[in-house]
């Protein structure tokens, strides 16, 4: 991995794009260990759904609150080597998670993982943006599909590692964190060299957005609509990722490993949707992809709680693909709304996704303890309807990059 890549306004730097996407996969596979442990912890520690929700809350809320802060600080003064430092915190977290003897110790080490995630995501998104050239949608898709693929591993981690080896099976992921640190050291060297090059070329650079000139009030309203969209999508996805397996066990009598395979299909097709969403947005526009991504799966989501088992797999596949088409697109759209705050916008949008996951995990856990698993699945099936507010977003154009 060489440090003489081209400028972000020139040709895409594909080795960096794929490297940071690969590390995103490793990073999010560490986080995926936590929901993968839920069925194991429910039995071994006799935890309630609310307690499981609080574990997810601890992880996602730390990441949610700190990501915009890290992004803001990075916009002020980028720190390339924050990436491997943040991953070191994740390494400590996953090691502690494997051997935590109590519920409260679990929460402490989950916070370490959350902090590492908070550092990685906005900085990783900045690297992806810097390496993108004119392929912003494609680059962000490669980056985000890495993360979604890592999250998709959660059911496999549960079925093939945690079910046979128990909680201590998570120790295998110490090696994953170590590999990520090695790769990030190389990426950070490129990142540092790129910053030096950008300072030299600053006078010749013009940052071009695909979105028409907007007033501050219009930008604020657009960001607010975008946050509503992220709320609807994240709340729904977290309900499927963390809790739908309990519905499969209760309603269809599936075993934990078989139920987790259904969740894997949902997440895997979501990763595919994330990949295609970015290039599609480069071609037809970001707003169109965002609206289609939330509108098309609405009837499928509403049907999901009522269909027989053979249809569940089909609906989960379609919903996962469609609802995640907009994942990377919302990040790029926010960055182009405020192109001078790349890290802040990445931290805000991705951080909000974590925050909604945090709040959603607690709310869904309380609902499941209160009204039951099946009734909760019916309630959350209407969430994607909220995403239709995306029709009020400002239009965008095809990206054109110019130099003075």
């Amino acid at each position: 991995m060489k440090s003489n890549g081209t400028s972000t306004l020139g040709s895409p730097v594909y080795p960096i794009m794929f490297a940071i996407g690969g590390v995103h996969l490793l990073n999010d596979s560490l986080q995926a260990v936590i929901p993968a442990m839920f069925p194991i912890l429910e039995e071994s520690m006799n935890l309630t759904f609310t307690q499981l929700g609080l574990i997810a809350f601890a992880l996602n809320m730390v990441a949610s609150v700190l990501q915009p802060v890290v992004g803001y600080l990075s916009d002020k003064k980028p720190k390339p080597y924050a990436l491997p430092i943040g991953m070191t915190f994740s390494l400590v977290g996953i090691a502690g998670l494997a051997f935590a003897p109590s519920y409260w110790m679990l929460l402490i080490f989950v916070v370490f993982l959350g902090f590492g995630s908070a550092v990685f995501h906005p900085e990783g998104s900045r690297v992806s943006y810097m390496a993108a050239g004119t392929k912003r949608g494609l680059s962000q898709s490669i980056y985000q599909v890495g993360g979604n693929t890592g999250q998709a591993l959660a059911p496999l981690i549960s079925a093939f590692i945690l079910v046979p080896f128990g909680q201590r099976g998570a120790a295998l992921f110490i090696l994953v964190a170590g590999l990520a640190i090695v790769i990030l050291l190389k990426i950070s060297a490129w990142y540092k060299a790129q910053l030096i090059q950008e300072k030299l070329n600053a006078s010749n650079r013009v940052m071009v957005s695909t979105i028409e000139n907007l007033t501050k009030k219009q930008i604020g309203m657009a960001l607010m609509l975008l946050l509503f969209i992220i709320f609807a999508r994240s709340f729904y996805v977290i309900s499927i990722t963390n809790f739908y397996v309990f519905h499969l066990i209760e309603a269809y009598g599936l075993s934990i490993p078989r139920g987790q395979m259904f969740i894997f299909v949902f997440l895997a097709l979501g990763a595919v949707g994330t990949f295609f969403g970015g290039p599609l947005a480069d071609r037809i526009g970001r707003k169109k992809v965002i609206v289609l991504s939330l509108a098309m799966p609405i009837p499928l989501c509403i049907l999901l709680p009522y269909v027989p088992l053979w249809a569940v797999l089909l609906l989960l596949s379609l919903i996962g693909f469609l609802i995640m088409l907009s994942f990377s697109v919302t990040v790029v759209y926010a960055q182009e709304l405020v192109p001078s705050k790349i890290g802040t916008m990445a931290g805000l949008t991705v951080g909000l996704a974590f925050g909604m996951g945090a709040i959603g995990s607690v709310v869904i856990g309380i609902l499941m303890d209160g009204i039951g698993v099946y009734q909760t699945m019916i309630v959350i099936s209407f969430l994607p309807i909220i995403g239709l507010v995306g029709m009020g977003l400002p239009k965008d154009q095809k990206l054109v990059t110019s130099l003075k």
Side-chain angles (χ1 to χ4, degrees):
M1 197 176 303
K2 298 180 181 180
S3 60
N4 59 348
T6 55
S7 166
T8 54
L9 290 177
S11 301
V13 188
Y14 287 105
I16 298 296
M17 287 164 60
F18 282 103
I20 196 64
V23 176
H24 199 183
L25 186 156
L26 299 177
N27 179 83
D28 282 26
S29 70
L30 298 178
Q31 295 176 65
V33 172
I34 294 173
M37 292 179 77
F38 279 6
I40 311 302
L41 295 174
E42 185 207 15
E43 293 183 1
S44 65
M45 290 189 176
N46 197 29
L47 301 182
T48 66
F49 290 124
T50 301
Q51 286 175 310
L52 293 176
L54 286 171
I55 291 174
F57 178 85
L59 170 70
N60 293 335
M61 186 52 69
V62 170
S64 172
V65 171
L66 291 182
Q67 276 197 51
V69 176
V70 173
Y72 175 78
L73 294 175
S74 178
D75 286 330
K76 290 285 187 181
K77 187 176 181 180
K79 294 178 173 59
Y81 286 94
L83 283 165
I85 291 171
M87 189 60 66
T88 302
F89 276 86
S90 293
L91 188 151
V92 172
I94 200 69
L97 196 65
F99 301 102
S102 67
Y103 177 70
W104 295 108
M105 290 299 292
L106 278 173
L107 287 177
I108 290 171
F109 287 112
V110 161
V111 167
F112 273 82
L113 272 172
F115 181 80
S117 177
V119 173
F120 174 79
H121 280 94
E123 283 291 85
S125 186
R126 174 182 288 276
V127 170
S128 174
Y129 194 92
M130 292 170 70
T134 57
K135 302 290 186 180
R136 293 178 186 172
L138 173 62
S139 184
Q140 193 62 219
S141 280
I142 291 171
Y143 174 67
Q144 297 296 352
V145 80
N148 289 348
T149 303
Q151 293 169 19
L153 294 177
L156 302 184
I157 293 168
S158 178
F160 297 112
I161 297 177
L162 298 178
V163 168
F165 297 108
Q167 180 181 341
R168 293 193 177 184
L172 291 171
F173 289 86
I174 295 172
L175 299 175
V176 173
L179 175 61
I181 290 170
V182 172
I183 299 173
L184 285 174
L185 286 170
K186 294 182 178 293
I187 291 174
S188 295
W190 176 86
Y191 184 174
K192 183 177 180 180
Q194 189 73 1
L195 290 174
I196 294 171
Q197 187 66 31
E198 285 191 354
K199 285 182 180 179
L200 295 175
N201 296 336
S203 61
N204 295 322
R205 189 179 62 192
V206 178
M207 185 68 72
V208 178
S209 172
T210 68
I211 302 170
E212 60 191 45
N213 291 330
L214 302 174
T215 65
K216 287 185 177 180
K217 184 177 179 180
Q218 288 173 320
I219 291 172
M221 287 298 298
L223 285 174
M224 188 64 66
L225 293 176
L226 207 59
L227 298 186
F228 269 107
I229 291 164
I230 295 170
F231 161 77
R233 184 186 63 214
S234 299
F235 210 115
Y236 185 82
V237 170
I238 204 74
S239 71
I240 300 297
T241 303
N242 287 4
F243 294 100
Y244 191 71
V245 66
F246 297 107
H247 172 63
L248 291 171
I249 293 168
E250 180 183 281
Y252 301 101
L254 301 186
S255 64
I256 292 175
R258 192 178 174 203
Q260 293 286 19
M261 291 303 100
F262 280 71
I263 309 305
F264 171 73
V265 169
F266 171 80
L267 293 171
L269 269 293
V272 175
T274 298
F275 178 78
F276 283 103
L280 182 62
D282 284 339
R283 180 180 293 269
I284 69 171
R286 316 217 191 282
K287 177 182 175 178
K288 289 180 181 177
V289 172
I290 290 170
V291 173
L292 289 173
S293 174
L294 273 297
M296 289 190 293
I298 287 173
L300 306 178
C301 294
I302 294 173
L303 277 174
L304 184 61
Y306 307 102
V307 298
L309 184 61
W310 67 265
V312 168
L313 197 61
L314 175 62
L315 289 187
L316 283 177
S317 301
L318 292 172
I319 293 168
F321 178 84
L322 292 171
I323 207 166
M324 295 303 288
L325 274 174
S326 64
F327 192 87
S328 64
V329 181
T330 51
V331 177
V332 177
Y333 189 93
Q335 289 174 331
E336 293 187 351
L337 278 173
V338 191
S340 62
K341 301 291 183 183
I342 299 303
T344 304
M345 290 300 103
L348 181 64
T349 52
V350 180
L352 181 72
F354 276 92
M356 289 304 101
I359 296 169
S361 294
V362 175
V363 172
I364 293 165
I366 292 171
L367 279 174
M368 289 173 72
D369 282 331
I371 66 174
V373 176
Y374 180 65
Q375 288 76 12
T376 301
M377 291 300 109
I378 293 174
V379 171
I380 63 97
S381 69
F382 292 94
L383 280 170
I385 295 174
I386 300 172
L388 293 179
V389 300
M391 290 187 289
L393 290 171
K395 293 182 180 179
D396 57 296
Q397 312 280 324
K398 184 178 179 180
L399 177 65
V400 178
T401 304
S402 67
L403 296 173
K404 285 182 178 179

